[in-house]
Amino acid sequence: MYPEWLGDRSFLNVHRVRFAYIAGEMANGIATTQMVIAMARNGMLGFFGAGGLSPERIEQAIIEIQSALDPEGMSWGINLIHSPNEPLMEEKTVDLFLRRGVVRVSASAFMGLTPAVVRYACSGLHLDAAGTIRRKHYLFAKVSRPEVAKHFMSPPPARMLEALLAKGQLSEEEVRLAAHLPLAEDITVESDSGGHTDNRPLAALFPTILGLRNELMRNFAYTKPIRIGASGGIGNPAAAAAAFALGAAYIMTGSVNQSAIESGLSTEGKKMLAAADLADVIMAPAGDMFEQGVKVQVLKRGTLFSSRGFKLQELYRTYRSLEDIPREEILKLEKEVFQEKLENIWQDTQQFFQNRDPGQITKALEDPKRKMALIFRWYLGKASRWAIEGTEHRRLDYQIWCGPAMGAFNAWVKGTFLELPDRRTVVQIALNLLEGAAVITRAQQVRSHGLNVPQEAFAFIPRPLG
């Protein structure tokens, strides 16, 4: 039994990789270019964490990756995160992907389809010499709900295609061919993960999405498979083996890679992750979807980010503007949370959006509650950057996206060469998870034939792998 045998053969063939394994797109560049390059050079797929970054910073990363890798022999991808409060950013990011020739994109946090994600997936659709529809761009859709998965596994809505055609963003041929394909061929089922998550258990969620996939394959008479991958909670070989046993075409890891050498997280943040246990995670308000009440899963141990974030959310829900908040509450916020006068925070916020999306400032000046949201989002956004930069005096405010997989990983590697963060590379993490999953899968196969298999056969110990 070899790690290369795990997962779906078509995944390996279509994406030109050796292993059915992805290092996921941790936002704000935590999934670095170095991580993506290392994965590609070792026959695996990595997605750069573009969420929260400016188009200029994303373009710089694309150039760096493309310069380091052979475009014909090594595969890689990049993230497109849904931005309901900044639709212009989503459009600009897709413009950049198309202009720079990015052929693999992982779409995350989407609650439905947007013109931008449809345009990316359908651009470049064409017929080959044999009359078969071919894609130029491969969209991976990370989902945690069947109703969202259904959108991505169905052909895009005709009205959306027609609107893109009218704008000249898709051709007539692309629109015609799009009606015969699912928007995404690769669906990543996200269970109890770090960051955006619905905290669903994989054993309940994955078979549900798999059944929906089979139904849609019949309904639309697709001739090519839709591959269903698994992510969330994969922190040791047993979890990886379980995901493949459920029928996963590939697995995606996230939280465990944040503690790797190539991660963009600060040294202090990596040490905090390496000390985390299973229960050291908690939900907190999401900065990018603060107004909608969306939550993300973060590290609880050693930080006050979650409690301070929920205090901001409580104030936002209770009051119509900053002026309505009692003076004593404002003083407390300025002293403990922002550590700065709110007037100065507003100036900083305006400067940020002046380059990113000036329309946000206009809306805030017209709507006091919108202004309050932008100021509160300053803290939620800065908290992740403090963790990345290792800002010492804001250590208690570090926002580190993390799921229970981190605690499982730390328990598994205790006493081995992977225990210390300065020994953890994204490739060694991946190879050990895959090797262990192969060993456990083989042990289970032997046991299923009626043979007595010792318990030690299910306990793979991490070791340096070539």
Side-chain angles (χ1 to χ4, degrees):
M1 182 71 198
Y2 296 96
E4 291 91 334
W5 294 357
L6 298 169
D8 191 309
R9 298 282 74 71
S10 72
F11 179 86
L12 306 182
N13 295 333
V14 169
H15 298 296
R16 301 181 303 177
V17 290
R18 179 180 174 188
F19 303 102
Y21 184 101
I22 299 174
E25 62 272 17
M26 296 164 290
N28 282 339
I30 294 176
T32 61
T33 55
Q34 291 87 350
M35 187 177 291
V36 172
I37 292 167
M39 293 297 287
R41 287 176 175 170
N42 286 271
M44 292 173 277
L45 196 55
F47 284 101
F48 176 72
L53 301 181
S54 67
E56 293 77 19
R57 174 68 181 84
I58 298 170
E59 184 167 21
Q60 184 182 30
I62 294 171
I63 294 171
E64 184 179 339
I65 295 169
Q66 290 176 332
S67 299
L69 299 177
D70 173 10
E72 298 302 319
M74 298 179 186
S75 298
W76 59 279
I78 197 166
N79 174 230
L80 175 67
I81 193 166
H82 181 41
S83 306
N85 298 317
E86 299 177 71
L88 184 60
M89 278 299 298
E90 207 171 294
E91 292 285 348
K92 286 181 178 179
T93 305
V94 167
D95 287 341
L96 174 61
F97 292 166
L98 295 175
R99 179 165 53 86
R100 280 291 176 183
V102 176
V103 298
R104 288 174 182 82
V105 162
S106 178
S108 60
F110 279 79
M111 295 172 284
L113 300 183
T114 65
V117 75
V118 171
R119 177 161 69 103
Y120 175 80
C122 298
S123 292
L125 288 176
H126 63 280
L127 293 175
D128 65 12
T132 303
I133 303 176
R134 298 293 183 187
R135 296 181 186 269
K136 183 178 180 181
H137 303 114
Y138 292 93
L139 182 71
F140 290 69
K142 189 185 286 185
V143 301
S144 57
R145 300 183 182 188
E147 62 270 23
V148 177
K150 186 174 183 179
H151 290 306
F152 285 98
M153 292 191 286
S154 302
R159 67 181 186 283
M160 196 171 285
L161 291 173
E162 290 165 3
L164 290 168
L165 175 63
K167 291 181 179 179
Q169 294 180 324
L170 288 179
S171 69
E172 290 186 5
E173 182 183 39
E174 289 166 341
V175 167
R176 178 174 58 83
L177 297 179
H180 303 283
L181 296 174
L183 190 67
E185 281 185 20
D186 296 278
I187 305 295
T188 307
V189 175
E190 184 179 29
S191 57
D192 196 8
S193 66
H196 292 281
T197 180
D198 284 327
N199 307 106
R200 301 285 187 265
L202 187 66
L205 180 61
F206 190 90
T208 303
I209 303 296
L210 205 63
L212 177 62
R213 185 276 307 271
N214 296 340
E215 177 187 336
L216 294 174
M217 288 286 294
R218 291 191 300 268
N219 291 349
F220 292 110
Y222 295 139
T223 57
K224 291 183 179 180
I226 298 175
R227 294 171 291 272
I228 310 295
S231 69
I234 301 176
N236 56 34
F244 284 121
L246 284 170
Y250 58 91
I251 60 172
M252 176 187 283
T253 56
S255 296
V256 299
N257 299 323
Q258 286 195 103
S259 63
I261 292 171
E262 299 90 348
S263 162
L265 199 64
S266 66
T267 300
E268 184 59 34
K270 293 174 185 178
K271 290 179 181 177
M272 292 167 69
L273 282 175
D277 207 343
L278 275 174
D280 290 336
V281 294
I282 193 170
M283 299 303 292
D288 56 345
M289 300 186 190
F290 175 75
E291 294 93 321
Q292 288 84 358
V294 175
K295 299 179 180 63
V296 290
Q297 190 159 218
V298 299
L299 182 68
K300 175 176 69 173
R301 182 173 181 169
T303 85
L304 295 175
F305 170 75
S306 178
S307 59
R308 289 175 173 175
F310 276 121
K311 179 61 179 178
L312 294 178
Q313 194 169 73
E314 177 191 340
L315 292 172
Y316 177 75
R317 288 175 174 174
T318 304
Y319 299 101
R320 294 174 299 175
S321 68
L322 289 171
E323 290 71 25
D324 289 343
I325 300 176
R327 181 61 183 166
E328 58 270 21
E329 288 283 8
I330 292 291
L331 292 175
K332 191 174 181 181
L333 285 179
E334 291 179 335
K335 180 181 179 181
E336 297 179 2
V337 179
F338 292 95
Q339 298 182 19
E340 184 70 73
K341 292 288 186 182
L342 291 187
E343 291 87 348
N344 297 336
I345 300 298
W346 174 235
Q347 293 299 320
D348 194 20
T349 301
Q350 289 186 87
Q351 186 176 357
F352 173 80
F353 280 107
Q354 193 64 52
N355 297 323
R356 185 181 178 94
D357 186 357
Q360 297 294 325
I361 302 172
T362 304
K363 293 176 183 177
L365 293 174
E366 296 172 351
D367 182 359
K369 196 171 183 72
R370 178 68 174 164
K371 178 181 177 180
M372 176 168 54
L374 292 185
I375 289 176
F376 287 177
R377 282 171 57 189
W378 177 95
Y379 171 78
L380 301 175
K382 284 284 189 179
S384 65
R385 299 190 185 279
W386 292 325
I388 292 170
E389 295 165 1
T391 309
E392 181 59 34
H393 73 282
R394 301 307 302 246
R395 187 179 181 281
L396 288 177
D397 296 291
Y398 283 6
Q399 178 184 189
I400 301 176
W401 300 300
C402 178
M406 195 71 246
F409 180 84
N410 289 333
W412 171 51
V413 303
K414 188 174 179 62
T416 74
F417 85 107
L418 285 176
E419 181 174 7
L420 298 177
D422 59 5
R423 299 291 302 278
R424 298 177 180 181
T425 68
V426 66
V427 171
Q428 282 299 318
I429 290 170
L431 292 178
N432 274 274
L433 285 172
L434 287 169
E435 184 79 10
V439 168
I440 290 172
T441 299
R442 182 60 177 151
Q444 177 58 30
Q445 288 174 348
V446 173
R447 188 162 71 174
S448 69
H449 285 286
L451 299 179
N452 184 30
V453 179
Q455 290 300 313
E456 292 79 9
F458 293 89
F460 179 82
I461 299 173
R463 64 203 63 170
L465 295 170

